[in-house]
Amino acid sequence: MHKSFQIKLSDNWRIQSSSKISEKGSEISTRSTISENWFPAVVPSTVLSTLVANKVYEDPYFGENLKIIPTELFKVSWWYTTSFELTKEQSKEFASLKFDGINYKANVWLNGQLIADSISIDGAFRITSFDISTYIKSGSNILAIEVIPPQPGDFSIGFVDWNPAPPDGDMGVFRPVTLHLHGGVQIEKPFVQTKVNLETLKEADLTVSAELTNYSNTVISGDLVGTIGDIVFRKNISLAPNNKELITFDSKEFVGLNFKEPKLWWPINLGNPDLYDLDIKFVAKEEVLDSTQLRFGIRDIQDYWLNDIHRGYKVNGQKVLIKGGGWTDDMLLMDTDESIEAQVKYVKQMNLNCIRLEGFWGKDHKLYDLCDEHGILLMVGWSCHWEHEIHMGVPVNERFGGVYKPEHISHVAQAWEDQVIWLRNHPSIFVWTVASDKVPITELEQKYIDTFAKYDPTRPYLNSTGGVGSDQHVIGSEDVISEISGSSGVKMLGPYAYTAPVYWFTDTKFGGAYGFNTETGPGAQVPQLESLKKMIPEEQLWPIGESWNYHCGRYEFADISRFTKAIKEKYGAPSSLEEFDKKAQAMNYELMRPMFEAFQVNKKKSTGIVQWMLNAAWPKMYWQLYDYYLNPTAALYATQKACLPLSLIYNYGDKHIYAINDRLEKIENLTAHIRVYSIGSEILFEDKVEFTLDPDSSKSIYALGELKGLSTTYFVDLRLLDKMGVEISNNFYWLSTKEEVLDYEADLGPFAFHTPSKVYADFTQLNGLAKTRLEQTHYFEQDGEQQNIKVELKNNSDHIAFLINLKVVDIKTGELILPIFWEDNFINLLPGEERMVCANFKGTSEAALKVEGWNLE
């Protein structure tokens, strides 16, 4: 007989403001009629997301609609209530109720009884569980939760300067609520530690542990049984009444936990992200009193030091250049499983191997599970939201941020422990980052260290995502140095706004390609035209209206003036929205690609780069590789190109051509085909170079140098060929003889968030590109729940076809079909060149292809 039963209480919830209710929790949790006319809801959810779902506030992300939502509504508590049915047999079992996350405090009532108050549920990132065995009953059980909103100074969810603050402060039951029935013994905190033999990678030792709690008043004896594939291990356990015990299985005692030829978990492009399943159950008198399951990976994570200054990371003994983007949840925490899955697929498509989570994001384990499955590394840690008075709403310590008082240290340390236990079995997490812009106060960092020693000794931690170069005070006025652990060995020196391509290759003082840059980027990445029309009122679309600025970041990033100035200076002032769209995407591509490429080229002195940001919490203009609607900007395809595991790269700094090999094996008999074209598409230079690439290497294979006879704007086309002459990858650059000059001496005030240009490159000749005739054929094919499209393109003209943009639309609605996964886009075709490009997308709707480009007829 199986007495273990878990159910997520996700459906049939209702919510209402306490200002509309006179009844107390004892009544709400006994009389279902009280909540009959409340707003229907699901859990997880926030209060405002529920009101949006009920059309109380429609389209809050359009224009400036967010401004009209009154924040006063959310300064009082709100009630969540639901009911669940139990059979007579189930009601006799032991039961616990687990809350993975409530923002911010709560009083909880079940069947008329207060089971938890706002002292025991206090903090967005606290995970709590309560024994409700004496409160459940046969038939209908009514649960009522009074959610108390966060106040200034609370350690709550925040979006810093990325977007406006949610009017409700994201108050609500934002993570799952789980009912757990068991037979008196509950299995809690299961954990699998793996230790890989790094000399051979042919052996791994596993240690499996779990806490057993006896919730009964009698001794319970039985077997704790673990199963991993064909391997079974067990221990006979006798638990005293109301007692808890940590049970451990290791390979010394259980030889089956010494794995021979283990299937290791590897990040993308280095191997397969293999996973194993663990099942644990407690059996007494042939009854399963409780059981639990988890997935894990066998892998080893270590950090290392480059030149005793910069920290890097190894997976299974192999150095990994971290290439990632910064994640944010939806502003109202409305992400769906489908949206999260699409975003992880975009990350994989871009050849990125990392997502940085600043703040413990996600309503559940979905993002973490997907990263486990796809081989995407995760940096997980607290947000800088708690480190600055402007975000916290109360004074902070200049060196340590908002966590410096003894009661706050205790609160945050416990929240950290809860999060580590919640997430530690995910192999994708390679580092815990316990602070962002600053460092934790000594007492807090020691508590973190104690937590790691007890609950997760398997991976390193970072005391801050800033550190190296912090004495320059680019981000804050204090050096980011810990009294316990010194410098983090990583840097956070910007830039965050428009920065020229040459910067990444030549800067050696700030955010350039050396060390580990934990958050940086060239600033705004403006969405494509279709997305702009979804987020900006028609009357403000052109000329650019105030709503554009409202959809930027905050503070120094509250407009796109630096972006529009650069477009005007480099590409010429746009005369229409359509021309702006075309030039904005060109600049998105031009600015994003060299950032990642510079770190690829400088493999020997670089250990990591995280684009700020990966995605969008709402429709916006800044910091995104794809927009809120999952529509890629050109920056997505630029990143995909820059991070190819085998590629050729133009170095804007020394004008050399570099070959990159991200793989772990040597690649021989390669050929680089290098061509330079004028603005009129005449070949000015051509050569071929044969070479070999060592594993995980970068090397200069050709000095392009100063070429004669160049037009002001010219093109460099690079093709990498294998030993059979088959093209492996291609790369295409538009360059200027008027080179960009950086203004390192510019006075940017207290926050040096970018390096502006004294002189801009000149691409205005692109406005006179000759028109090209493009021949295209395509066909769609249905493949289960998704469609594939194959497009054959041929440039029939004597001129380069520049930045061809492929789109797929729903024939019935005319809307773009998103998300969509092109193997390449914003493509350039040489005169007479043919190319096939494929994509896939979900759905069965009849679709049509749209082909756009800079200079198509």
Side-chain angles (χ1 to χ4, degrees):
M1 185 176 176
H2 210 299
K3 295 196 171 188
S4 177
F5 175 77
Q6 292 190 44
I7 181 171
K8 282 190 168 58
L9 302 179
S10 56
D11 300 323
N12 303 315
W13 288 82
R14 292 186 176 274
I15 75 165
Q16 185 56 273
S17 169
S18 63
S19 66
K20 306 283 188 182
I21 303 166
S22 59
E23 294 87 355
K24 304 298 183 184
S26 56
E27 299 171 87
I28 297 170
S29 62
T30 52
R31 290 165 45 203
S32 60
T33 53
I34 292 174
S35 61
E36 278 181 347
N37 296 318
W38 294 8
F39 297 106
V42 296
V43 164
S45 66
T46 65
V47 170
L48 183 51
S49 71
T50 300
L51 297 182
V52 170
N54 283 279
K55 301 189 182 301
V56 177
Y57 301 105
E58 296 194 58
D59 211 354
Y61 292 169
F62 181 74
E64 299 181 42
N65 288 352
L66 200 69
K67 287 182 177 180
I68 66 175
I69 299 175
T71 57
E72 292 77 16
L73 289 174
F74 312 109
K75 291 181 179 178
V76 300
S77 61
W78 280 69
W79 283 94
Y80 280 67
T81 186
T82 191
S83 62
F84 55 90
E85 297 286 327
L86 294 178
T87 65
K88 185 176 181 180
E89 291 74 19
Q90 288 173 332
S91 68
K92 295 177 181 178
E93 301 295 347
F94 291 84
S96 64
L97 194 62
K98 183 182 179 186
F99 301 97
D100 284 345
I102 295 178
N103 190 22
Y104 188 74
K105 299 182 181 181
N107 296 304
V108 181
W109 297 76
L110 178 64
N111 297 331
Q113 301 295 316
L114 181 68
I115 64 168
D117 60 19
S118 59
I119 296 174
S120 54
I121 300 182
D122 176 7
F125 298 104
R126 287 298 319 280
I127 297 176
T128 51
S129 182
F130 303 95
D131 183 4
I132 58 170
S133 304
T134 59
Y135 304 120
I136 58 173
K137 63 180 183 177
S138 176
S140 179
N141 294 257
I142 302 177
L143 175 66
I145 307 171
E146 182 188 16
V147 178
I148 301 167
Q151 304 297 319
D154 282 341
F155 302 101
S156 183
I157 297 164
F159 292 88
V160 197
D161 53 9
W162 317 337
N163 43 260
D168 67 342
D170 281 333
M171 69 177 296
V173 185
F174 77 100
R175 281 180 173 167
V177 177
T178 307
L179 173 67
H180 187 163
L181 301 181
H182 58 87
V185 171
Q186 185 172 336
I187 302 171
E188 299 172 285
K189 303 177 183 176
F191 184 34
V192 181
Q193 298 182 55
T194 64
K195 185 172 179 59
V196 179
N197 183 330
L198 296 180
E199 291 184 4
T200 65
L201 302 184
K202 300 293 186 182
E203 186 178 19
D205 289 301
L206 274 59
T207 301
V208 179
S209 62
E211 286 186 3
L212 296 186
T213 304
N214 181 356
Y215 284 91
S216 77
N217 293 319
T218 61
V219 174
I220 298 180
S221 298
D223 287 341
L224 184 63
V225 184
T227 305
I228 303 173
D230 296 332
I231 300 166
V232 179
F233 45 97
R234 68 177 64 220
K235 276 187 179 181
N236 185 258
I237 310 294
S238 183
L239 286 171
N242 302 301
N243 194 41
K244 180 181 294 185
E245 187 174 345
L246 177 67
I247 309 300
T248 301
F249 302 88
D250 61 36
S251 58
K252 293 180 180 178
E253 186 177 2
F254 300 91
V255 294
L257 294 177
N258 175 257
F259 277 41
K260 306 297 185 183
E261 302 291 340
K263 294 181 177 180
L264 299 182
W265 187 94
W266 288 98
I268 185 172
N269 289 332
L270 294 183
N272 294 325
D274 284 306
L275 296 169
Y276 290 83
D277 293 301
L278 167 68
D279 179 270
I280 307 178
K281 58 187 178 182
F282 187 82
V283 183
K285 298 179 180 178
E286 298 185 353
E287 290 185 331
V288 178
L289 302 191
D290 198 18
S291 65
T292 191
Q293 297 78 36
L294 64 87
R295 302 190 83 185
F296 68 95
I298 298 176
R299 57 95 179 97
D300 181 274
I301 303 290
Q302 295 178 342
D303 53 7
Y304 71 94
W305 289 89
L306 179 64
N307 300 326
D308 296 322
I309 300 172
H310 303 290
R311 192 186 302 266
Y313 292 91
K314 295 179 180 181
V315 179
N316 300 328
Q318 174 63 42
K319 292 180 181 179
V320 178
L321 175 64
I322 301 299
K323 291 169 284 190
W327 176 275
T328 176
D329 276 5
D330 177 274
M331 191 199 301
L332 303 184
L333 309 188
M334 297 189 297
D335 286 307
T336 64
D337 286 356
E338 292 76 19
S339 167
I340 295 170
E341 184 171 7
Q343 294 182 70
V344 172
K345 285 182 69 176
Y346 274 148
V347 170
K348 193 171 183 178
Q349 175 186 330
M350 287 185 280
N351 299 298
L352 297 177
N353 58 19
C354 173
I355 294 173
R356 179 186 166 198
L357 308 180
E358 186 181 335
F360 284 95
W361 298 108
K363 58 183 171 50
D364 53 25
H365 284 262
K366 183 66 174 180
L367 173 62
Y368 305 90
D369 290 340
L370 287 167
C371 288
D372 292 344
E373 293 165 15
H374 289 282
I376 308 298
L377 293 162
L378 287 168
M379 299 179 69
V380 181
W382 293 140
S383 166
C384 69
H385 179 79
W386 302 349
E387 297 176 339
H388 302 279
E389 181 174 347
I390 197 170
H391 308 313
M392 281 287 281
V394 296
V396 302
N397 182 284
E398 190 60 33
R399 183 177 180 196
F400 303 117
V403 191
Y404 59 94
K405 297 178 180 179
E407 65 270 25
H408 294 159
I409 291 170
S410 177
H411 175 102
V412 171
Q414 185 59 59
W416 181 267
E417 180 180 301
D418 291 349
Q419 298 302 310
V420 166
I421 293 169
W422 193 59
L423 295 171
R424 60 184 174 172
N425 283 300
H426 292 283
S428 52
I429 298 173
F430 74 100
V431 63
W432 303 112
T433 60
V434 299
S436 180
D437 301 1
K438 303 187 178 185
V439 289
I441 196 168
T442 305
E443 295 86 345
L444 179 59
E445 185 175 357
Q446 186 58 55
K447 286 181 179 291
Y448 290 153
I449 291 169
D450 294 342
T451 290
F452 296 136
K454 183 175 181 180
Y455 292 109
D456 183 25
T458 69
R459 47 175 71 85
Y461 83 99
L462 272 178
N463 61 32
S464 175
T465 51
V468 176
S470 62
D471 57 328
Q472 300 176 58
H473 304 153
V474 172
I475 299 296
S477 61
E478 294 285 328
D479 297 358
V480 183
I481 300 291
S482 161
E483 294 176 359
I484 295 178
S485 49
S487 170
S488 65
V490 300
K491 65 178 183 177
M492 187 193 296
L493 300 172
Y496 297 93
Y498 173 84
T499 302
V502 69
Y503 170 91
W504 305 103
F505 292 93
T506 58
D507 171 77
T508 57
K509 186 178 179 183
F510 298 113
Y514 67 94
F516 191 159
N517 198 340
T518 59
E519 59 175 59
T520 191
Q525 284 91 45
V526 174
Q528 295 199 59
L529 183 59
E530 293 85 352
S531 295
L532 290 174
K533 290 179 176 179
K534 283 185 176 182
M535 58 195 273
I536 305 295
E538 186 176 359
E539 66 274 12
Q540 291 205 40
L541 273 169
W542 194 261
I544 290 174
E546 186 56 35
S547 278
W548 285 63
N549 291 338
Y550 188 59
H551 286 264
C552 289
R554 301 168 76 189
Y555 317 126
E556 292 87 355
F557 311 107
D559 61 55
I560 56 167
S561 58
R562 291 176 293 270
F563 187 85
T564 54
K565 180 183 180 182
I567 283 184
K568 179 180 177 181
E569 295 288 338
K570 300 177 77 161
Y571 292 89
S575 59
S576 67
L577 179 62
E578 289 71 23
E579 185 182 353
F580 175 86
D581 172 51
K582 180 174 72 173
K583 291 181 175 180
Q585 296 313 312
M587 202 160 81
N588 283 344
Y589 200 114
E590 177 217 352
L591 298 184
M592 185 58 64
R593 176 175 54 179
M595 181 183 76
F596 283 105
E597 287 187 334
F599 280 79
Q600 292 270 71
V601 163
N602 286 347
K603 273 177 177 284
K604 291 181 180 178
K605 64 175 185 176
S606 298
T607 59
I609 170 73
V610 177
Q611 148 67 10
W612 200 253
M613 301 173 69
L614 173 71
N615 61 350
W618 82 315
K620 66 174 183 176
M621 307 290 173
Y622 260 84
W623 303 323
Q624 57 195 345
L625 297 174
Y626 48 88
D627 67 29
Y628 179 77
Y629 308 105
L630 303 184
N631 189 7
T633 72
L636 182 147
Y637 302 104
T639 302
Q640 178 179 342
K641 190 73 71 174
C643 297
L644 285 168
L646 284 171
S647 66
L648 300 175
I649 289 173
Y650 172 78
N651 182 326
Y652 285 78
D654 64 13
K655 298 183 173 63
H656 285 217
I657 307 301
Y658 282 76
I660 306 298
N661 179 16
D662 274 353
R663 302 196 184 280
L664 300 184
E665 64 270 8
K666 187 175 185 178
I667 312 292
E668 298 181 326
N669 301 317
L670 295 170
T671 300
H673 188 186
I674 304 166
R675 285 172 283 193
V676 179
Y677 288 83
S678 72
I679 193 67
S681 299
E682 300 93 1
I683 290 186
L684 303 177
F685 174 84
E686 182 174 15
D687 204 353
K688 290 186 176 181
V689 182
E690 296 181 353
F691 61 96
T692 293
L693 280 176
D694 290 333
D696 188 26
S697 66
S698 160
K699 74 174 182 179
S700 171
I701 60 166
Y702 203 92
L704 205 55
E706 300 294 335
L707 299 172
K708 295 181 179 179
L710 296 176
S711 48
T712 304
T713 301
Y714 62 99
F715 306 107
V716 172
D717 181 77
L718 305 176
R719 307 292 170 109
L720 180 61
L721 312 176
D722 68 13
K723 61 183 179 182
M724 304 300 292
V726 176
E727 185 176 298
I728 297 172
S729 63
N730 59 74
N731 221 344
F732 186 90
Y733 298 83
W734 52 105
L735 304 172
S736 175
T737 55
K738 183 185 177 185
E739 296 182 12
E740 202 130 354
V741 180
L742 302 172
D743 186 2
Y744 280 107
E745 307 306 318
D747 183 4
L748 298 175
F751 180 19
F753 56 89
H754 72 131
T755 300
S757 296
K758 290 181 183 177
V759 177
Y760 289 87
D762 182 359
F763 297 130
T764 55
Q765 285 187 329
L766 290 170
N767 296 317
L769 271 182
K771 296 294 183 181
T772 56
R773 298 183 307 277
L774 203 62
E775 177 185 324
Q776 67 89 4
T777 58
H778 69 276
Y779 64 91
F780 295 93
E781 60 181 11
Q782 195 71 40
D783 181 13
E785 295 182 352
Q786 76 171 23
Q787 289 190 61
N788 301 321
I789 179 174
K790 292 186 178 181
V791 184
E792 293 185 8
L793 300 170
K794 183 177 181 181
N795 181 1
N796 284 322
S797 73
D798 295 329
H799 297 277
I800 290 168
F802 186 56
L803 290 183
I804 301 162
N805 185 6
L806 304 174
K807 302 175 179 180
V808 175
V809 298
D810 185 306
I811 286 180
K812 289 183 180 178
T813 66
E815 295 284 324
L816 288 180
I817 294 178
L818 298 169
I820 188 165
F821 305 94
W822 289 101
E823 61 185 16
D824 197 6
N825 208 346
F826 289 90
I827 298 158
N828 305 281
L829 291 181
L830 303 177
E833 184 179 3
E834 298 180 45
R835 191 177 305 175
M836 176 179 281
V837 187
C838 301
N840 64 78
F841 54 91
K842 279 190 175 181
T844 58
S845 299
E846 189 176 0
L849 174 70
K850 288 177 65 176
V851 181
E852 300 175 355
W854 185 285
N855 61 327
L856 298 188
E857 285 186 343

